[in-house]
Structures are given as structure tokens and as C-alpha cells.
Amino acid sequence: MITAITLGASAAPLAVHLSPLLVAAPTSTAAFARTRFTVFVTLAASAAVVVVDWHDGLLSSPLLPIHVGSLLAVSGFAVVAGSLHHRALRELTQVRAVSEAAQRVLLRPLPRQSGPLRIASMYQAATAHAQVGGDLYASARTDRTTRILIGDVRGKGLPAIEDASAVLSAFREAAPQHRTLPALAASLERSVRRHLADMTDGDPEGAERFVTALLVELPDGQDDVKIVSCGHPPPLLQQRGRVGVLGVNRPAPPLGLAGSTAKAFPLQTFAFLPGDTLLLYTDGLIEARDATGTFFPVLDRAPAWAWGSPHSLIQHIRRDLDVHAGRHLDDDLAMVAVQRAARSPLALPSAP
């Protein structure tokens, strides 16, 4: 820019003074370069001002110090502004790195293998630059049994993250301690109530907060799945080539609104055979809309998904959802796919 303006001034008529345009060089540089380089460009532009004004016969004119002084003043402001901008950008980068680390600790990735089960999970927050929101999932392994939690906190923002953190911490603590799923659900209910009671003191809407949740238990040696639903959308089950909604028809109220004893959480058991796949999800899937406001047709799309492995299933759903919603979700989305590994056929005894 300095070279172009200087060469242009040498070819322009003497009555046309282009030296004031040189201030564009340091001000543009300050937007992307470090302070030292901006200062260097400022000095180069000042020297170019002298050269251009000398060419225009202004060397002894009062316009020369005005041109140079104006360039230095504007450039000085640009240097200070650029320095403050870069400092704020560095702080933002550091804060974002800490935030992402904290979010990864909060929402730990699920294991790919848990006993005879293959597992895949994904999370997509609706808030830009966030990795965690109001949806949650977790798993626990105890006594040859895998337990999985998926849930959805009412609300968004920091309060929702606080509630999700409380539920996840309670599940990780209580999952190995209770023998039955209803007892575990009752323990989570008591923990959520204590947490929400603490939040109500500082939040006028704390009394309206709750958490929908689905608790799933898959014993290693049994071909079934036990489920306790707390107001959460029922999972999809792929079994023998057919896909349908699992008939969880006795849900309890969401956590924070349910009873505090195991009797308040009905337990339902369904067949879950080798090769079957279970898809747990939050309402971010079924409530995703396209440009016309049409909801994502889960049951219509589900038979065409790649149910061969949990990982391929999750990837297929994400691509399908991106096509429908245009990579934009109005709500957080969490999904967990669980597949019971097919049994290997027994080897035939060799001939004597």
C-alpha cells in the first residue's frame, strides 16, 4: 500500500496531494499485526509522506508537519487500539480453553465397549462455541451390569449447566450403590431436590426447574433391558431389522417433581437380544425443524439409518439431521447408541 501510493503520487499532477492516503497503511496493519510491526509500518509510512510531499514541492510548506503529525497521531491511536484488541483476544482464547476443559470434565465421553455392549455417543450444544448445555449423559459399570443415564434439563445457559452437573455428579456417586434402577432413580430425585432447593434461594425461577431423564440397565448375562423413565422421550429399538419406539408407557414425573421413594419409579423390562440396537436421545432430535418449521420425521427416517454399528448410526443421524435442519439446532442434542454384540457361533467339534 505504501509503495502503490508513493508511485501513484509520483505520476499524479503536483496539485493532487496523495500523502494523506498513507495513513491507511498503519491503521490497516494494526487490525491484524502485532504492535512492533505496526510501528515499523508507521515509520515507513511517515518516511513515504516526506518523499511524496518533497515531490509535490511541500518540503518547506506547513502542510508537511501537518501530514506527518496527523499520520503519527492516527497511527498511535490504531496501535493502542490494536494492542488492547490483541490482549482481549488472548484472554478470550485462554478463557475458552479453560471452559472447554471444564466442559470435557463435566460431560465425559462414554466408553466404546462395556461388557458385551458397543456404545457410541454425541453431543451438540445449541449455543455457539459451547460443548455442553442442558442435555447430559453418563454411564456406570458395576457387578457385570452397565447403567446409562440420558437427560434434559429445563432451560438454557449457566443455570442449565449447573443442573446438569448436579445430576451427573449424583448419578456417578449413586450408580454403584443401589441394587435396583428404581432405587437409583429415587436417589437421583433426592439429590436433584436438594440442589434445586439451594438454587431457589438465588433464582426466582428455581421452583420451575426440573430434569427429564431415562435410566437404562443392561445386565451382561441377560437378553433384556430395564428402563425407568422420568418424563423423557422413549428410545428407539432396532430389533430383527425393524425399528420402532420402545413402549415405555409408565413414565414417572421428571426429576425434581417425582416421589422420593423407589415405588414412585415404575420399572419396565424389554427384550434386548444380541444384535439389537437401542438409541437414546433428547428432544433436540425430535424437535429439530427445517426452514419451513417442519419437525424432523424420526420414525420415517429411522429405517434407512445405518444400524450396523453404534458409531455408524450416530454419524448417519448427524448427516441426516444436518440436511433437515441446515446445521442449526434450536435446542441441545444428545444421543447414545447401544448395541448388544452378536454371539459368535459355537465351533463344531472336530472329527476324531
Side-chain angles (χ1 to χ4, degrees):
M1 188 179 298
I2 293 173
T3 303
I5 294 174
T6 303
L7 292 177
S10 65
L14 294 179
V16 178
H17 305 301
L18 299 183
S19 57
L21 297 179
L22 288 163
V23 73
T27 54
S28 301
T29 305
F32 63 87
R34 295 183 179 272
T35 302
R36 290 183 179 180
F37 187 70
T38 305
V39 171
F40 170 77
V41 173
T42 300
L43 296 176
S46 300
V49 168
V50 175
V51 172
V52 172
D53 281 1
W54 171 79
H55 174 269
D56 293 344
L58 302 176
L59 199 58
S60 59
S61 169
L63 289 177
L64 175 59
I66 292 176
H67 291 166
V68 175
S70 300
L71 185 142
L72 292 176
V74 174
S75 299
F77 176 80
V79 167
V80 172
S83 178
L84 294 176
H85 169 73
H86 291 306
R87 180 185 301 175
L89 187 60
R90 287 194 299 269
E91 293 178 354
L92 176 61
T93 302
Q94 293 174 353
V95 169
R96 183 175 295 174
V98 173
S99 174
E100 291 178 353
Q103 291 178 96
R104 285 193 295 269
V105 171
L106 173 63
L107 197 66
R108 304 171 190 168
L110 300 186
R112 289 180 171 268
Q113 190 80 27
S114 181
L117 304 174
R118 294 194 295 170
I119 303 175
S121 60
M122 66 82 60
Y123 191 99
Q124 183 174 340
T127 303
H129 307 298
Q131 294 182 347
V132 176
D135 290 3
L136 56 100
Y137 55 69
S139 68
R141 177 77 178 165
T142 176
D143 297 332
R144 294 179 55 81
T145 297
T146 300
R147 286 174 170 172
I148 298 176
L149 164 71
I150 190 168
D152 186 357
V153 173
R154 179 189 177 274
K156 296 181 180 180
L158 291 178
I161 296 178
E162 290 178 351
D163 295 348
S165 176
V167 176
L168 289 170
S169 299
F171 174 79
R172 290 163 182 157
E173 178 70 21
Q177 299 178 3
H178 297 278
R179 296 187 60 183
T180 67
L181 218 53
L184 173 58
S187 176
L188 294 181
E189 170 66 23
R190 293 190 291 269
S191 296
V192 170
R193 284 194 179 187
R194 287 193 297 268
H195 166 74
L196 294 181
D198 293 339
M199 294 297 103
T200 302
D201 296 337
D203 182 3
E205 297 183 359
E208 302 179 4
R209 289 156 72 170
F210 57 84
V211 184
T212 68
L214 195 71
L215 288 166
V216 177
E217 183 176 272
L218 300 120
D220 288 358
Q222 303 177 27
D223 292 340
D224 58 30
V225 54
K226 298 178 175 62
I227 293 180
V228 168
S229 174
C230 303
H232 197 79
L236 297 182
L237 175 64
Q238 189 270 351
Q239 190 173 68
R240 298 178 181 177
R242 296 183 178 180
V243 180
V245 178
L246 208 59
V248 183
N249 52 20
R250 291 188 297 158
L255 297 176
L257 304 175
S260 57
T261 64
K263 294 181 180 180
F265 299 92
L267 177 69
Q268 294 185 256
T269 303
F270 304 90
F272 190 59
L273 308 175
D276 292 354
T277 303
L278 197 66
L279 177 66
L280 317 177
Y281 55 89
T282 57
D283 57 8
L285 178 66
I286 55 179
E287 295 181 0
R289 300 171 182 262
D290 62 10
T292 65
T294 303
F295 288 113
F296 184 57
V298 175
L299 291 180
D300 293 339
R301 302 285 185 90
W305 292 339
W307 293 84
S309 72
H311 179 74
S312 62
L313 174 61
I314 293 294
Q315 295 301 315
H316 197 140
I317 296 175
R318 291 188 68 171
R319 291 193 296 268
D320 204 5
L321 194 60
D322 286 344
V323 171
H324 179 82
R327 297 182 178 271
H328 172 73
L329 297 179
D330 295 326
D331 196 4
D332 300 332
L333 169 63
M335 292 188 293
V336 179
V338 185
Q339 184 179 73
R340 189 181 293 278
R343 295 193 182 97
S344 300
L346 296 177
L348 295 176
S350 58

